[in-house]
Amino acid sequence: GFRSSSKLLLVFSLSGGGLLAYSESQSNSTAKNTEHNQLTNKKKVVVLGTGWASTSFLKDLDISSYDVQVVSPRNYFAFTPLLPSVTCGTVEARSIVEPIRNIMKKKNGEIQFWEAECTKIDAANKKVFCHSVIESNLVGNKDFSLEYDYLIVATGAEVNTFNTPGVMEYCHFLKEVEDAQKIRRSVIDCFEKAILPELTEEERRINLHFVIVGGGPTGVEFAAELHDFVHEDLVKLYPMVKDLVRITVIQSGDHILNTYDSRISTFAEQKFARDGIDVRTGCRVLGVSDKAVNVKVKSTGESVSVPRGMVVWSTGVSTRPVVKDLMDQVGQGKRKVLATDEWLRVKGCEDVYAIGDCATIDQRKIMEDIAAIFNAADKDKSGTLTVEEFQDIIDDIIIRYPQVELHLQSARLSSVTDLLNDPEGNARKEVDIEGFKLALSQVDSQMKSLPATAQVAAQQGTYLSNCFNKRDLAKITPEGPRRFKGTGRHEFLPFRYKHFGQFAPLGGEQAAAELPGDWVSVGRSTQWLWYSVYASKQVSWRTRVLVVSDWTRRSIFGRDSSRI
Ligand code: FAD
């Protein structure tokens, strides 16, 4: 059903190929929609976003049982791991995007897409308010609202400036395709400006000083791409300034790539040192002005002003305003990130799910929940459970909280073994609950949230569509763990993340990879592994062919340095 509160709607008529305008009264439209839903008995699902999480949700969703509408300011999916390659023209922007309408084409139904931004989620009335972001003088209302039975929030996150002065005004970001395109033009601008007549050598040097703030995977990959672009292509085109180029990475921690295995960060630091990329660790940026980056060296406490050409800010992400507003509504106002439970349901409201970078599975209350589970099981309030009861509960906890499995295992090996056996090593008949809770509290602090990566987002999308597809079946035959605060079982197994490893391309046809099972691989062969994994992970054959042909074009003709 075509659902909108706007009075005048513009739609593209696919059959006629032209622009067709028609008006419809709001009451008429609502009546029709209600009628449509009663006839089809389909639940209304509204999905916010067209990124990694939402597209993987849509790809596998069985839309014969749902009426699906997608809202996003972006009518395409972007393959973000290749964004750093777009900044230097190794890969073209259009090669890494797929129109969302191509992804949504389904054989057994239709998914509606509205190019707009969700400005407010009204969780109590199950409604979202949207605003069209199409900048034009086309006629018609820009605002509309949608009702939902289930809402999937997958709006990702926004760049985090940590309120550092000057960052918004003077820095580039690397989050969206447009950001990468702007960086590409800006790099060329720096070179064209640096070679203009009547500049002093110092001015040329400053214009060609590229500063990257943040030594995480994005900052490091961009530094590596830029180094390759400069040394493989630009120095041949701008020979007079080739010795004046400088690339600096500023990192507040002690190492770059500090979320990776230490062997990888050491390899990256050594490679950058050989390549002449200046890595300044232990430095915090206090502010950015039109001419310099103001840096505080943590060890000495001194402030240094670093003259700069272009600055790329890549220091992490924070919550979007629309999600922050939802958090205030559902009693999560004091948190930094929207919290969900293990089934990815937003805590504090009904029928709202959040997947990808916009949310995190709440780990903080898991130990409290586990304590409550034990207290509920201890019906006679004796403070003990039989070993069988205890074992049963532990097995259920592992199914319910997969992320604590490893920690429980380690707890089991040490203190839990002691709880199960008396000092002589003989098996006890009963287990002391307080002792077990104490053992668990020691591992509580070791639990970390899942990283904000495409891998997590995509797996959450797939998991959730699976749950949606099995919703009716699961009501009859639930597959989840026992409910501790009621009778019966949960409908679904909780979300379980499987880590497939991570890459760090380091330039010069070399990459590092952290693979499952504590494997680390570095060098040229890893770069080939990177090429094959990233080619295979493309969402369509169209983008796969485009990306591979871009890589081939680059290796034959080099990168294009036109400023378009
Ligand atoms: P996104 O993919 O950001 O999608 C969010 C969607 O929501 C977008 O379509 C956006 O337009 C839309 N949206 C925003 N606001 C609204 C609103 N108000 N209403 C409706 N829609 C809205 N991860 C990896 O695993 N491996 C990598 O190699 C890797 N490399 C990366 C490189 C770069 C340069 C970047 C920036 C990220 C990289 N990541 C990588 C991280 C990965 O891109 C994110 O974790 C992933 O995009 C998160 O998916 P998501 O669906 O939550 O958000």
Side-chain angles (χ1 to χ4, degrees):
F2 194 89
R3 204 164 292 104
S4 168
S5 61
S6 62
K7 294 202 168 68
L8 183 71
L9 299 162
L10 286 172
V11 290
F12 273 103
S13 155
L14 293 176
S15 51
L19 195 64
L20 170 78
Y22 71 95
S23 64
E24 200 172 34
S25 87
Q26 190 175 345
S27 58
N28 218 345
S29 149
T30 316
K32 266 189 191 163
N33 289 327
T34 319
E35 201 181 311
H36 168 81
N37 284 321
Q38 275 166 356
L39 278 177
T40 57
N41 203 18
K42 281 183 171 185
K43 294 276 189 200
K44 287 174 281 179
V45 177
V46 171
V47 181
L48 304 179
T50 47
W52 278 96
S54 47
T55 44
S56 70
F57 172 77
L58 293 170
K59 217 158 44 116
D60 297 324
L61 184 70
D62 174 8
I63 53 164
S64 58
S65 8
Y66 297 103
D67 204 337
V68 186
Q69 300 181 78
V70 181
V71 181
S72 174
R74 213 170 75 179
N75 79 347
Y76 57 85
F77 163 82
F79 192 87
T80 46
L82 287 181
L83 271 183
S85 305
V86 174
T87 59
C88 298
T90 309
V91 168
E92 290 298 326
R94 284 196 181 264
S95 306
I96 66 156
V97 303
E98 182 68 15
I100 194 67
R101 291 182 190 278
N102 283 3
I103 296 174
M104 291 183 339
K105 269 188 302 195
K106 296 258 181 181
K107 287 195 190 79
N108 55 350
E110 199 190 346
I111 295 176
Q112 310 272 15
F113 172 73
W114 316 128
E115 190 179 283
E117 190 178 23
C118 170
T119 48
K120 185 166 179 69
I121 298 166
D122 179 353
N125 296 306
K126 294 190 151 191
K127 220 170 173 182
V128 292
F129 295 87
C130 308
H131 178 77
S132 162
V133 287
I134 301 165
E135 279 175 27
S136 73
N137 49 10
L138 292 173
V139 294
N141 203 344
K142 281 190 159 208
D143 298 300
F144 60 95
S145 66
L146 305 169
E147 286 171 5
Y148 63 81
D149 293 310
Y150 300 113
L151 176 68
I152 318 294
V153 185
T155 49
E158 62 180 21
V159 287
N160 195 350
T161 65
F162 298 97
N163 292 327
T164 313
V167 174
M168 272 300 179
E169 296 91 314
Y170 301 115
C171 293
H172 285 276
F173 302 107
L174 184 45
K175 186 85 182 63
E176 304 290 337
V177 177
E178 293 89 340
D179 298 334
Q181 289 171 311
K182 276 191 206 150
I183 291 178
R184 186 174 175 181
R185 285 194 288 270
S186 186
V187 171
I188 304 298
D189 279 347
C190 291
F191 274 85
E192 293 294 355
K193 182 74 201 279
I195 57 153
L196 285 181
E198 296 180 21
L199 261 77
T200 63
E201 183 171 314
E202 188 52 20
E203 284 166 338
R204 296 186 209 280
R205 220 179 261 285
I206 292 173
N207 288 335
L208 291 174
H209 185 200
F210 298 92
V211 179
I212 296 138
V213 186
T218 301
V220 165
E221 200 177 329
F222 170 63
E225 274 284 347
L226 182 63
H227 174 269
D228 285 0
F229 187 26
V230 169
H231 291 274
E232 290 169 13
D233 302 290
L234 297 179
V235 291
K236 296 177 202 151
L237 304 172
Y238 303 88
M240 65 179 282
V241 291
K242 73 178 173 28
D243 297 326
L244 306 182
V245 184
R246 195 149 61 100
I247 302 173
T248 303
V249 178
I250 299 175
Q251 160 74 332
S252 61
D254 293 337
H255 295 281
I256 55 170
L257 295 182
N258 56 10
T259 54
Y260 285 60
D261 188 289
S262 59
R263 287 166 285 180
I264 292 184
S265 49
T266 309
F267 179 80
E269 282 166 1
Q270 288 168 348
K271 175 154 193 322
F272 276 14
R274 282 196 303 276
D275 289 345
I277 299 174
D278 192 7
V279 176
R280 303 272 184 96
T281 53
C283 291
R284 203 162 67 83
V285 173
L286 300 176
V288 182
S289 71
D290 56 345
K291 298 204 173 55
V293 180
N294 191 8
V295 178
K296 182 173 182 178
V297 183
K298 281 187 185 169
S299 57
T300 59
E302 64 172 326
S303 287
V304 193
S305 176
V306 183
R308 53 83 177 184
M310 190 181 123
V311 188
V312 174
W313 186 269
S314 162
T315 58
V317 290
S318 69
T319 304
R320 288 193 191 277
V322 66
V323 175
K324 197 87 200 109
D325 179 75
L326 171 67
M327 289 165 71
D328 288 338
Q329 289 174 48
V330 299
Q332 294 194 23
K334 290 208 177 93
R335 295 187 56 105
K336 279 196 177 142
V337 186
L338 181 66
T340 70
D341 65 12
E342 319 81 90
W343 289 274
L344 310 180
R345 300 175 299 193
V346 172
K347 290 191 161 188
C349 60
E350 291 282 300
D351 299 322
V352 181
Y353 297 79
I355 50 179
D357 283 4
C358 68
T360 180
I361 299 174
D362 193 6
Q363 313 258 30
R364 290 187 313 176
K365 285 187 69 205
I366 287 180
M367 289 305 151
E368 265 173 62
D369 286 359
I370 291 178
I373 291 168
F374 273 102
N375 292 340
D378 180 21
K379 292 200 181 69
D380 58 4
K381 301 280 171 250
S382 64
T384 55
L385 293 173
T386 65
V387 172
E388 289 75 27
E389 283 172 329
F390 177 80
Q391 208 66 57
D392 248 21
I393 290 181
I394 294 283
D395 290 343
D396 275 322
I397 289 174
I398 290 175
I399 298 174
R400 179 162 171 176
Y401 300 113
Q403 63 274 46
V404 284
E405 182 174 2
L406 280 178
H407 303 298
L408 272 173
Q409 276 169 3
S410 59
R412 258 180 178 178
L413 292 177
S414 52
S415 18
V416 180
T417 331
D418 295 342
L419 290 169
L420 293 173
N421 300 303
D422 64 19
E424 279 83 48
N426 302 318
R428 292 183 203 269
K429 288 206 173 62
E430 290 181 329
V431 181
D432 171 32
I433 297 178
E434 280 313 311
F436 180 69
K437 282 198 265 179
L438 190 72
L440 273 187
S441 66
Q442 288 158 13
V443 294
D444 188 13
S445 58
Q446 296 171 25
M447 288 197 299
K448 284 197 204 134
S449 339
L450 289 173
T453 62
Q455 226 181 122
V456 172
Q459 287 183 32
Q460 290 187 333
T462 308
Y463 162 84
L464 200 58
S465 63
N466 228 329
C467 295
F468 270 64
N469 294 346
K470 287 192 288 196
R471 198 179 276 281
D472 289 339
L473 188 69
K475 282 203 177 88
I476 310 159
T477 49
E479 60 180 29
R482 261 196 300 167
R483 284 176 199 272
F484 289 102
K485 288 181 191 149
T487 51
R489 308 194 78 84
H490 282 277
E491 288 168 9
F492 308 109
L493 286 171
F495 170 70
R496 183 183 282 249
Y497 172 62
K498 194 162 174 359
H499 187 58
F500 290 106
Q502 51 186 351
F503 281 102
L506 298 170
E509 295 295 311
Q510 298 212 31
E514 208 177 272
L515 303 165
D518 204 25
W519 274 70
V520 163
S521 153
V522 290
R524 280 174 193 276
S525 53
T526 315
Q527 179 69 32
W528 282 101
L529 185 65
W530 182 88
Y531 281 130
S532 35
V533 168
Y534 280 56
S536 73
K537 291 273 170 213
Q538 292 302 313
V539 286
S540 72
W541 272 101
R542 191 187 69 84
T543 55
R544 191 166 298 129
V545 169
L546 289 174
V547 164
V548 173
S549 61
D550 282 353
W551 287 334
T552 317
R553 170 190 48 75
R554 199 267 307 159
S555 68
I556 301 171
F557 303 110
R559 300 165 184 86
D560 181 355
S561 66
S562 330
R563 189 204 175 284
I564 47 171

